[in-house]
Amino acid sequence: GQIKGIDEVISFYNSEIQPNANLDLHLKGLNGFPLQMNLSVVEKNELKAFLETLTDHVLIKDEKFSNPFK
């Protein structure tokens, strides 16, 4: 909900994760503090480009999948 768009998601996981009791263990270091990806600008752009290849543009434009209650 609070993060909008792929750029904000990448930015959050790159350097904005905050300590939280509910934080998944995979996102914590051995010291218990959040891990940061610390990606460079180039790496963030490459990650975004890869993630965008996973989008099925035909599926998301298909009317029969637009309303799960039909």
Side-chain angles (χ1 to χ4, degrees), residues 17 20-35:
I17 298 175
N20 183 304
N22 297 320
L23 187 62
D24 189 282
L25 293 176
H26 291 95
L27 298 175
K28 292 181 183 180
L30 295 176
N31 61 4
F33 286 98
L35 296 171

Side-chain angles (χ1 to χ4, degrees), residues 2-31:
Q2 70 184 24
I3 301 175
K4 295 179 176 50
I6 194 168
D7 292 314
E8 286 187 30
V9 171
I10 291 171
S11 180
F12 175 79
Y13 283 102
N14 188 53
S15 60
E16 299 174 26
I17 298 175
Q18 300 297 313
N20 183 304
N22 297 320
L23 187 62
D24 189 282
L25 293 176
H26 291 95
L27 298 175
K28 292 181 183 180
L30 295 176
N31 61 4

